[in-house]
Amino acid sequence: MTVSPNMRSVAATDRSIEAACEYLAAGELVGVPTETVYGLAANALDESAVRKIFAAKGRPDNNPLIVHLPDVAAMRQVVRWPLDPVVMDQFEAIADLWPGPLTIVLPRSERLPDAVTAGQATVAVRIPSHPVMQQLLRRSGLPLAAPSANRSKYVSPTTAQHVVDGLGDRVSMVLDGGACTIGLESTIVALGEQPRLLRPGAITAETLATRWNIPVESLLPVDQRPVVLEAPGMMLQHYSPRTPLLFADPSASVPAGRVGRIAFEPLSPEESKTFAVVRVLSDTGDLNRVGQHLFAAMRELDAMGLDAIVTDTCAAEGVGRAIMDRLKRAACRE
Ligand code: TXA
Ligand code: MG
């Protein structure tokens, strides 16, 4: 992929945020920071702007987008209102987790272009907490459709430079709001008779289940992969570096060639020596830190022309559920 040599991200300031608002109002694409990952934003109410997102990402048009809003009041622009009473109760039990890394799938308003929802009867909405994204949403007054700002199937971006690297020639502007603090895409839940977890994230399934007073298992897919059907974008291979990704196995030898290592906590000096490069994501094995730095480490090692990347794994519970979900997809070569 060619990247325009002149494309740079722009530090988020009052002026650059104003410029971003103008691009968005004119139907253009802007790379935007959020607390989870960087997004590729367009005016969700402008069908032709939304189509540009799919073209820029190389994203299949049957994969719906998340709509970002400044606050709950703005939901009426895109959600069918009022919610039915069962859904309203579920919603109220989790609404205080906003603003934050949580996306909620609700019945859509007729006003929303079909392109956003891929023709589905529902819309995924999120109120992000990143101050730059909050300012952009408030000043533009627009609901912003924004998938992760990566080419389809590649690793999500957690810095403005990642966006420039992958999509620099396809956006009008990239607003730099610093490295993402969460680093993993938002948790997605669908509300209804039986709420379902469509994508694990930093707001954990355990937290949601507690709010609804239901067992965690009842939120999960029967085969642990319902996402394949329920969220059309969640095909198994996703978030993939080009370099083969393998899970660390203490009883196996290190693969041949130049091998990179993603470690969740410091390795012993002897073990470190067996790898061409080691990235330690947390000094203490803190999984929130691991989540924050995981995608950046994958991208960095992927750019080094290694023969393989070996990564630590963790228990699939709490935020570890999201980490293992992303790692399994990244390792999949289907
Ligand atoms: O953290 C995030 O959610 C980031 C930032 C930018 O907000 N966005 C993000 O978007 O990860 P994207 O497009 O990469 O992933 C959105 C996922 C897709 O798997 C899509 O299929 C699912 O959300 N989705 C969107 N609308 C849906 C709907 N109406 N029903 C079910 N799944 C939906
Ligand atoms: Mg994505």
Side-chain angles (χ1 to χ4, degrees):
M1 189 188 339
T2 53
V3 171
S4 151
N6 300 323
M7 179 66 193
R8 286 221 199 95
S9 60
V10 184
T13 59
D14 272 1
R15 263 180 67 188
S16 60
I17 291 173
E18 196 55 47
C21 289
E22 284 168 22
Y23 281 125
L24 291 165
E28 301 292 324
L29 303 183
V30 176
V32 296
T34 86
E35 68 279 22
T36 57
V37 299
Y38 272 72
L40 178 62
N43 175 3
L45 301 176
D46 178 341
E47 171 118 45
S48 80
V50 169
R51 292 202 184 283
K52 290 182 188 169
I53 293 178
F54 288 87
K57 279 189 60 113
R59 179 177 176 115
D61 61 10
N62 65 355
N63 186 2
L65 305 176
I66 296 174
V67 178
H68 299 72
L69 303 163
D71 49 37
V72 171
M75 268 184 14
R76 292 158 200 248
Q77 289 179 281
V78 298
V79 169
R80 195 173 74 217
W81 208 263
L83 299 174
D84 85 40
V86 172
V87 171
M88 188 51 127
D89 285 350
Q90 285 168 5
F91 175 71
E92 283 178 342
I94 60 171
D96 69 301
L97 299 171
W98 274 344
L102 177 67
T103 294
I104 305 181
V105 174
L106 292 167
R108 63 176 278 196
S109 142
E110 296 304 321
R111 280 183 66 196
L112 203 58
D114 275 343
V116 175
T117 64
Q120 303 205 49
T122 52
V123 58
V125 289
R126 176 159 108 81
I127 299 177
S129 64
H130 196 292
V132 172
M133 185 63 168
Q134 271 286 336
Q135 258 199 68
L136 191 64
L137 287 162
R138 285 178 196 283
R139 280 174 57 181
S140 69
L142 301 172
L144 297 179
S148 51
N150 49 283
R151 293 277 296 164
S152 193
K153 295 205 176 171
Y154 196 60
V155 182
S156 290
T158 55
T159 66
Q161 186 60 47
H162 293 160
V163 183
V164 172
D165 291 345
L167 293 170
D169 54 343
R170 295 158 199 254
V171 294
S172 294
M173 178 177 191
V174 178
L175 270 182
D176 189 344
C180 301
T181 53
I182 304 278
L184 299 166
E185 305 86 347
S186 62
T187 305
I188 307 181
V189 276
L191 304 191
E193 286 305 323
Q194 166 87 53
R196 284 158 308 146
L197 183 75
L198 302 187
R199 180 172 72 185
I203 302 263
T204 64
E206 288 80 357
T207 296
L208 296 169
T210 304
R211 294 302 184 89
W212 290 319
N213 201 16
I214 57 176
V216 176
E217 294 68 42
S218 72
L219 277 176
L220 303 179
V222 180
D223 64 352
Q224 296 293 310
R225 289 171 45 181
V227 278
V228 173
L229 295 175
E230 313 253 18
M234 301 292 283
M235 56 277 271
L236 194 55
Q237 194 196 339
H238 210 75
Y239 316 103
S240 303
R242 293 174 193 95
T243 316
L245 181 75
L246 308 168
F247 292 166
D249 175 355
S251 64
S253 55
V254 173
R258 290 179 64 237
V259 178
R261 180 75 159 79
I262 295 177
F264 291 4
E265 57 194 326
L267 299 181
S268 70
E270 302 76 62
E271 196 181 357
S272 284
K273 271 190 277 179
T274 61
F275 297 98
V277 50
V278 177
R279 285 292 168 266
V280 176
L281 304 189
S282 163
D283 289 341
T284 57
D286 174 347
L287 292 183
N288 289 309
R289 280 293 159 87
V290 169
Q292 184 182 4
H293 300 301
L294 182 64
F295 290 162
M298 275 194 207
R299 281 176 173 259
E300 190 200 352
L301 297 198
D302 199 24
M304 296 177 73
L306 299 165
D307 296 298
I309 301 169
V310 173
T311 177
D312 275 338
T313 56
C314 59
E317 60 194 30
V319 69
R321 195 187 306 277
I323 291 168
M324 287 312 298
D325 171 77
R326 305 312 190 270
L327 286 179
K328 282 185 187 153
R329 292 171 196 283
C332 177
R333 300 276 136 198
E334 249 170 29

